[in-house]
């Protein structure tokens, strides 16, 4: 399954890069979501996959018995998902706000900081 | 500027610097007997021992001479400033800058470690910048300040490079240790780069041609600053460093000729330019340049005559020049002008100032029995002893000294005694704090002239010994050395000087026509700055296009080059793809995510795209469920739901996506596929290699015994790595606050 997921992550990365290279800010945001999904999966896969054995310590014991899932990448991914969401939410509202001010979602035309006549 | 009768000048801001400078002066004075005895004092504080960087101080004759000039003239100038700037809004700021400068300058001349010296060197540059730009409301001040900062700053960088090279060649940054190894630098392969870089630093600091132009401009600073920094002390930092490095760098043809040529040209050019000026302060600025040129020229040699001449002239010049600057400041302060064509016959109105000016000017012109005469005789004796071209050098000194006679007359004879014009009415004598400095400095010039042994034994001889080593005796300082060639040259100087003074108006008019029609370094500087700015604009235009797509292209392209490049260079063998352990459920999830991704990537509909994203999210959540990560799956599902809700709300306020122009998309697709394939390749390699489970094992075994939690993932989040989780919450909070602010803010009307 690690190999299958590696391929899947490659596809996710390719799709997100393709979207982020677009001129429309919404496409860019979709690409951002896919990229953070790809990153989360990468961390998860890098810690190896263990089916059907969550990282739990059985009652009355000091440590889990046998092969259980790698808990560390899971903890990292949990944090990453939440932060990725925060980033997306902020970027989305920034796009809304930018559209309200500039009247466009085309990034080629969003040039308040670097106006065309100065470059 | 006859201001209100007597503004309050006895203030902490005005007087504290005087106390500090005065105390330091007496501290250094009590060291004179020991140093004159031939001792040196050294004090080391380790700073970065692993890099050989120490804060170490060394006091020998050379350092002590400079330290006394810095603190002594400093105390007088600060007393003067206390009154000169009394009532100024920013007087406290001025005092702070001036005191900081004094301490930095002391650091330069006392440091034994080259890196320490460099730090203090740069501090003098910065404080000089602040002081030149003190009247920051005028454009001229700002320009002059920036010019001085940039010119001396470039020199500072060159000096740093030189210091690194010296450290490599000698194996130490301690100047005393470098001096103890004769030839370690002159015979090093890096000698030429070291020498040129050091000289670039000292020439910019001491305003040698072609870096001289910042010094006359620096006269935009208040007059006490000009007297102190740009005449007596800071501009001599370059001279100091040349003297300091003299034992280690001199004795070669490059040293001799570079210093001789730069010094001689600066000296003659500056004295001619001085005659052109009508602003008395500018005239003095050019004579300072002349003095710096003379000192550079003298330091090029290593005969006892030239070095004794340099040490003596250094002191003479500081005394009379600071005094004259202060006198010009008094004229400016009391009459409101520094124009040589407006100031006449003020001697009866300001008798004390006139007397001080006369004594200082006689020393400057080199009349006996003043110290200036001894200095001039020594300069001629030194010129005749140079190793380069004695006749040419003596000739250059003759021209420069004759011009000094004329300029001394213009600056301090004409404004007070000349009857060529009417005196400005109602001029009052300056208040006493402003008179102390000129009088003390001028009288010292006379005193040392009459008792030259006093100065020779205490400062000149130890300085010469510090430069040439104990083997060489300093030449004696004497008023009457018998009838010899220097005396004949002195007589010629006076004759020529008086002639020049007599024809000064005609000469000046001629010079004004000549100078104004020839190219100027100052205008060249403007062109240079403009060229730099144009270069910066061009570079910005190329790199910062303002087009997001291009930035993304560069970012992704770099990532691709790094990943694919590494894979190719390292000649990586790909693990064989096989699917032995894949279940039906795996395949189904895989296809689900693939479908969602594809849909998101190609659709032009926002609803379809968000649906595709939802599918991807749920598919990934299912992967988490299949592979034992229930907590992650729950979070993933929750976040996916929130994303859809948020987007639906936002989409109401946004237009549709439309389609991308097809022209650029094939290239984008190529880049995307490249990055995707590279990522897959890297991941395949990672997952086929070994894994280090040390941390995981720790968490598994510590979870229950240490944190009393059975769900290891939860324990990591809220216990072992609680600070990370706290940071995560903070990020979400910041995002929420920022979103709130964005939604609340009103759109600007003027931007479309």
């Amino acid at each position: 399954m690690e190999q299958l997921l590696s391929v899947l992550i490659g596809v996710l990365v390719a799709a997100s890069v393709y979207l982020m290279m677009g001129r429309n800010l919404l496409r860019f945001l979709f690409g951002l979501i896919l990229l953070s999904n790809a990153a989360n999966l990468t961390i998860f896969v890098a810690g190896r996959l263990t089916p059907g054995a969550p990282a739990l310590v059985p009652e009355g014991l000091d440590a889990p018995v046998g092969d259980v899932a790698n808990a560390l990448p899971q903890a990292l991914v949990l944090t990453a998902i939440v932060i990725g969401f925060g980033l997306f939410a902020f970027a989305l509202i920034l796009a809304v706000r930018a559209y309200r001010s500039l009247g466009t979602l085309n990034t080629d035309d969003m040039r308040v900081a670097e106006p065309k006549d100065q470059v | 500027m006859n201001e209100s009768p007597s503004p309050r000048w006895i203030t902490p801001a005005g007087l504290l610097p005087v106390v500090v400078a005065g105390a330091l002066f007496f501290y250094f004075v009590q060291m004179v007997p020991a140093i004159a005895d031939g001792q040196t004092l050294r004090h080391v504080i380790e700073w970065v021992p692993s890099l050989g960087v120490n804060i170490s101080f060394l006091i020998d004759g050379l350092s002590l001479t400079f330290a006394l000039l810095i603190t002594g003239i400093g105390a007088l100038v600060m007393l003067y400033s206390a009154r000169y700037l009394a009532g100024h809004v920013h007087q406290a700021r001025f005092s702070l800058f001036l005191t900081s400068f004094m301490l930095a300058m002391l650091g330069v001349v006392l440091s034994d470690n080259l890196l320490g010296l460099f730090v203090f060197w740069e501090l003098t540059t910065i404080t000089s910048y602040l002081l030149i730009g003190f009247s920051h409301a005028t454009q001229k001040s700002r320009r002059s300040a920036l010019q001085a900062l940039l010119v001396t700053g470039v020199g500072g960088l060159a000096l740093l490079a030189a210091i690194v090279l010296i450290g490599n060649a000698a194996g130490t940054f301690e100047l005393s240790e470098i001096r103890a190894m004769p030839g370690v630098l002159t015979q090093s392969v890096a000698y030429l780069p070291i020498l040129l870089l050091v000289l670039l630093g000292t020439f910019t600091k001491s305003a040698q041609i072609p870096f001289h132009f910042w010094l006359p401009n620096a006269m935009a600073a208040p007059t006490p600053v000009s007297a102190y920094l740009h005449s007596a002390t800071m501009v001599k930092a370059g001279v100091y460093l040349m003297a300091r490095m003299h034992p280690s760098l001199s004795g070669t043809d490059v040293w001799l000729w570079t210093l001789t040529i730069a010094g001689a040209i600066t000296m003659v050019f500056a004295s001619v330019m001085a005659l052109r000026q009508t602003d008395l302060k500018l005239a003095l600025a050019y004579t300072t340049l002349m003095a710096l040129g003379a000192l550079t020229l003298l330091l090029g040699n290593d005969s006892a005559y030239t070095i004794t001449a340099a040490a003596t002239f250094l002191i003479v010049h500081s005394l009379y020049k600071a005094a004259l600057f202060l006198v010009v400041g008094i004229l400016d302060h009391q009459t409101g002008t520094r124009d040589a064509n407006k100031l006449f016959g003020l001697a009866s109105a300001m008798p004390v100032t006139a007397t001080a000016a006369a004594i200082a000017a006689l020393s400057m012109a080199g009349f006996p029995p003043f110290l200036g005469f001894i200095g001039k005789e020594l300069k001629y004796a030194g010129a005749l002893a140079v190793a380069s071209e004695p006749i040419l050098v003596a000739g250059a000194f003759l021209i420069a000294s004759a011009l000094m006679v004329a300029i001394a007359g213009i600056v301090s004879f004409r404004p007070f005694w000349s009857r060529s014009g009417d005196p400005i009415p109602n001029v009052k004598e300056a208040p006493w704090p402003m008179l102390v400095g000129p009088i003390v400095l001028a009288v010292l010039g006379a005193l040392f002239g009459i008792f030259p042994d006093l100065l020779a034994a205490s400062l000149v001889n130890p300085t010469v010994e510090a430069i040439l080593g104990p083997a060489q005796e300093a030449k004696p300082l004497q008023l009457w050395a018998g009838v010899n060639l220097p005396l004949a040259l002195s007589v010629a100087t006076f004759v020529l000087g008086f002639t020049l003074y007599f024809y000064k108006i005609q000469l000046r008019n001629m010079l004004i026509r000549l100078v104004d029609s020839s190219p100027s370094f100052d205008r060249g500087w403007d062109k240079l700055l403009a060229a730099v700015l144009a270069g910066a604009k061009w570079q910005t235009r190329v790199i910062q296009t303002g087009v997001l797509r291009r930035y993304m292209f560069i970012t992704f392209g770099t990532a691709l080059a790094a990943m694919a490049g590494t894979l190719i260079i390292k000649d990586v063998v790909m693990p064989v793809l096989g699917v032995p352990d894949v279940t039906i459920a795996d395949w189904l999830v895989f296809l689900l995510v693939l479908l969602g991704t594809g849909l998101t990537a190609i659709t032009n509909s926002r609803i379809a795209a968000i649906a595709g994203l939802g599918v991807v999210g749920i598919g990934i959540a299912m992967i988490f469920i299949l592979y034992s990560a229930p907590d992650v799956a729950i979070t993933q599902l929750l976040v996916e739901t929130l994303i859809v809700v948020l987007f639906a709300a936002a989409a109401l306020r946004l237009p549709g996506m439309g389609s991308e122009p097809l022209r650029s998309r094939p290239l984008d697709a190529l880049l995307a596929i490249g990055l995707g394939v590279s990522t897959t390749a890297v991941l395949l390699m990672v997952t086929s290699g070994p894994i280090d489970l040390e941390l995981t094992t720790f968490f598994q075994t510590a979870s229950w015994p240490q944190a009393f939690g059975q769900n290891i993932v939860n324990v990591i989040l809220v216990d072992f790595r609680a600070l990370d989780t706290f940071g995560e919450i903070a990020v979400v909070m910041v995002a929420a606050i920022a979103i709130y602010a964005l939604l609340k803010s009103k759109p600007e009307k003027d931007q479309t």
Side-chain angles (χ1 to χ4, degrees):
Chain A
M1 183 61 181
E2 276 97 346
Q3 296 185 341
L4 201 60
L5 275 189
S6 301
V7 174
L8 191 61
I9 291 167
V11 173
L12 282 170
V13 167
S16 71
V17 170
Y18 184 70
L19 285 166
M20 288 173 95
M21 287 298 294
R23 287 178 175 77
N24 189 286
L25 202 53
L26 286 180
R27 270 201 189 83
F28 185 91
L29 290 179
F30 295 149
L32 194 65
I33 297 175
L34 285 185
L35 197 61
S36 71
N37 274 326
N40 294 342
L41 268 188
T42 304
I43 299 173
F44 191 61
V45 174
R48 304 299 188 275
L49 304 174
T50 313
L56 299 173
V57 180
E59 196 69 48
L61 293 180
D62 278 353
V65 191
D67 260 357
V68 294
N70 190 344
L72 182 61
Q74 291 192 23
L76 296 178
V77 170
L78 259 175
T79 309
I81 290 175
V82 177
I83 290 184
F85 169 71
L87 177 66
F88 167 76
F90 177 70
L92 180 69
I93 302 304
L94 198 61
V96 171
R97 183 66 182 72
Y99 179 70
R100 217 198 287 165
S101 278
L102 306 172
T104 179
L105 282 180
N106 186 333
T107 55
D108 286 4
D109 299 332
M110 297 180 142
R111 313 187 53 147
V112 175
E114 293 156 319
K116 262 187 185 130
D117 48 26
Q118 273 186 20
V119 295
Chain B
M1 273 186 293
N2 278 312
E3 53 197 49
S4 56
S6 150
R8 263 167 44 84
W9 66 275
I10 303 178
T11 58
L15 290 186
L16 193 61
V18 187
V19 175
V20 174
L24 281 168
F25 178 71
F26 287 109
Y27 174 69
F28 287 116
V29 165
Q30 53 92 21
M31 291 182 183
V32 168
I35 303 297
D37 250 13
Q39 298 178 29
T40 56
L41 306 171
R42 191 155 185 272
H43 184 67
V44 182
I45 307 160
E46 285 199 342
W47 188 13
V48 194
S50 55
L51 293 176
V53 181
N54 294 327
I55 304 183
S56 53
F57 298 107
L58 179 121
I59 301 183
D60 60 3
L62 180 63
S63 303
L64 188 64
T65 302
F66 269 92
L68 285 172
L69 288 174
I70 292 163
T71 50
I73 296 180
L76 295 170
V77 165
M78 281 157 179
L79 177 64
Y80 181 95
S81 317
R83 185 62 183 80
Y84 188 83
L85 282 173
H88 193 287
V89 206
H90 294 310
Q91 194 194 7
R93 184 186 293 176
F94 181 84
S95 297
L96 176 68
F97 292 165
L98 206 59
T99 313
S100 314
F101 164 76
M102 180 182 73
L103 297 176
M105 189 67 204
L106 272 180
V108 169
V109 300
L110 298 180
S111 279
D112 194 30
N113 187 290
L114 274 169
L115 290 170
L117 184 147
F118 172 76
V119 172
F120 289 117
W121 180 281
E122 292 296 72
L123 282 174
T124 64
T125 301
I126 294 167
T127 42
S128 159
Y129 168 75
L130 293 170
L131 284 165
I132 299 173
F134 182 66
S135 315
H136 54 80
T138 63
Q139 205 264 336
K140 188 165 166 279
S141 281
R142 294 199 301 272
R143 174 179 182 272
S144 303
L146 188 65
Q147 188 182 51
L149 179 74
L150 291 178
V151 174
T152 51
V154 166
L157 286 178
L159 181 63
L160 181 61
I163 288 171
V164 172
L165 288 176
I166 292 174
N168 280 341
T172 173
F173 290 115
E174 300 294 315
L175 280 162
S176 49
E177 291 172 20
I178 297 172
R179 271 200 301 279
M181 298 183 274
V184 69
L185 297 183
T186 41
Q187 280 154 33
S188 147
V189 282
Y191 173 67
L192 200 61
I194 289 175
L195 178 65
L196 294 179
L197 288 168
V198 166
L199 290 184
L200 187 57
T202 58
F203 280 14
T204 47
K205 197 79 164 179
S206 282
Q208 297 298 297
I209 278 179
F211 309 111
H212 62 285
F213 50 89
W214 70 265
L215 184 55
N217 284 339
M219 296 301 129
T223 302
V225 175
S226 309
Y228 190 37
L229 272 72
H230 304 121
S231 177
T233 56
M234 190 192 86
V235 288
K236 295 220 173 82
V239 172
Y240 166 79
L241 192 63
M242 284 188 275
R244 191 37 99 203
M245 299 301 292
H246 191 278
S248 315
L249 289 175
S250 73
T252 62
D253 278 353
V254 198
W255 171 274
L256 170 68
W257 286 104
T258 316
L259 265 63
T260 303
I261 293 171
I265 294 179
T266 306
M267 183 171 80
V268 174
F269 168 83
S271 16
V272 173
M273 284 299 285
L275 196 62
R276 178 225 174 280
Q277 310 304 325
T278 50
D279 181 341
L280 294 178
K281 200 173 162 188
L282 269 182
L284 284 180
Y286 277 104
T287 61
T288 303
L289 263 183
M290 172 268 169
L292 295 170
L295 287 168
T296 304
L297 197 166
L298 290 169
L299 283 173
N301 296 276
D302 39 21
S303 87
Y305 269 117
T306 52
I307 301 300
T308 310
T312 313
F313 185 53
L314 169 78
I315 300 167
V316 181
H317 173 258
S318 295
L319 294 178
Y320 75 66
K321 191 54 64 65
L324 286 179
F325 262 113
L326 296 179
V327 164
V328 168
I330 290 177
L331 284 173
D332 194 7
H333 195 260
Q334 302 301 110
T335 68
T337 180
R338 304 191 303 245
D339 190 334
N341 293 326
K342 291 185 184 149
L343 295 165
F344 299 102
L346 291 168
S348 55
M350 332 171 75
V352 186
T353 312
T355 313
I359 301 175
L362 287 171
S363 190
M364 173 176 174
F367 282 96
F370 299 97
L371 186 56
F373 176 73
I374 301 178
K376 181 160 53 66
E377 295 286 288
L378 276 169
K379 271 192 288 175
Y380 283 133
L384 294 170
V386 297
S388 47
E389 289 282 346
I391 304 200
L392 283 183
V393 171
F397 271 117
L398 178 65
I399 297 174
S401 303
L403 281 159
M404 285 309 105
V405 174
I407 289 153
I410 293 172
V411 172
S412 42
F413 176 76
R414 249 176 126 228
F416 296 105
W417 315 98
S418 166
R419 299 265 166 247
S420 315
D422 293 327
I424 297 174
N426 302 325
V427 174
K428 285 195 275 276
E429 180 61 280
W432 71 264
M434 291 172 66
L435 292 172
V436 173
I439 292 173
V440 169
L441 293 170
V443 167
L444 276 180
L447 193 69
F448 287 139
I450 298 164
F451 305 105
D453 292 342
L454 213 60
L455 188 66
S458 60
L459 292 179
V460 173
N461 295 352
T463 305
V464 174
E465 190 186 314
I467 299 176
L468 290 180
Q472 292 238 38
E473 283 262 311
K475 294 296 165 188
L477 274 61
Q478 47 198 6
L479 272 176
W480 179 250
V483 179
N484 54 14
L485 201 49
L487 188 69
L489 283 168
S490 265
V491 174
T493 308
F494 293 135
V495 173
L496 188 58
F498 281 121
T499 318
L500 287 169
Y501 179 74
F502 190 69
Y503 288 110
K504 61 189 176 299
I505 307 282
Q506 291 89 324
L507 279 170
R508 182 192 294 151
N509 290 336
M510 200 183 77
L511 277 171
I512 288 176
R513 277 197 304 278
L514 187 72
V515 170
D516 291 356
S517 60
S518 53
S520 105
F521 284 93
D522 200 31
R523 287 192 292 271
W525 167 260
D526 285 338
K527 288 204 184 95
L528 181 71
L529 267 196
V532 170
L533 285 181
K537 263 191 183 149
W538 171 82
Q539 182 195 306
T540 309
R541 203 163 51 230
V542 171
I543 298 174
Q544 259 176 284
T545 53
V547 179
L548 180 65
R549 271 173 49 77
R550 205 156 298 164
Y551 298 155
M552 295 312 294
F553 182 81
I554 294 169
T555 310
F556 287 138
T558 311
L560 176 62
M563 281 208 289
T566 313
L567 286 175
I568 292 167
I569 292 169
K570 296 272 177 189
D571 208 11
V572 176
V573 184
M574 272 298 129
V576 187
L577 271 178
V579 279
D581 59 342
V582 177
T583 63
I584 302 285
D586 291 342
W587 276 115
L588 283 177
V589 175
F590 175 76
L591 288 175
L592 191 67
V593 176
L594 211 58
L595 212 73
T597 312
L599 180 65
T600 314
I602 56 169
T603 183
N604 284 335
S605 149
R606 291 179 297 167
I607 297 299
I610 201 72
L613 282 178
V615 171
V616 171
I618 289 166
I620 290 175
M622 286 163 81
I623 295 173
F624 290 142
I625 292 172
L626 284 173
Y627 289 94
S628 321
D631 304 285
V632 186
I634 294 167
T635 317
Q636 171 80 12
L637 282 172
L638 198 67
V639 163
E640 281 306 323
T641 316
L642 276 174
I643 286 180
V644 173
V645 171
L646 250 185
F647 187 81
L652 290 175
R653 299 151 196 262
L654 294 174
M657 290 198 289
S659 58
E660 292 284 328
L662 283 176
R663 201 163 37 84
S664 53
R665 288 316 256 172
L667 185 65
D668 296 349
L670 211 62
L671 181 68
I673 291 168
L675 263 172
V677 170
S678 309
T679 312
T680 302
V682 169
L683 264 177
L684 284 175
M685 288 183 46
V686 169
T687 50
S688 67
I691 180 169
D692 181 356
L693 288 172
E694 192 189 334
L695 272 177
T696 307
T697 315
F698 165 78
F699 287 125
Q700 283 176 353
T701 50
S703 215
W704 177 253
Q706 289 187 23
F708 305 103
Q710 288 173 315
N711 183 334
I712 301 170
V713 176
N714 284 3
V715 169
I716 293 175
L717 282 173
V718 300
D719 207 308
F720 290 119
R721 306 205 52 83
L723 204 61
D724 279 3
T725 309
F726 180 72
E728 166 198 330
I729 296 169
V731 168
V732 175
M733 283 306 297
V734 168
I737 293 168
I739 287 170
Y740 180 77
L742 275 177
L743 290 176
K744 276 283 167 190
S745 67
K746 295 257 182 320
E748 300 82 356
K749 288 280 178 280
D750 54 338
Q751 282 162 355
T752 49

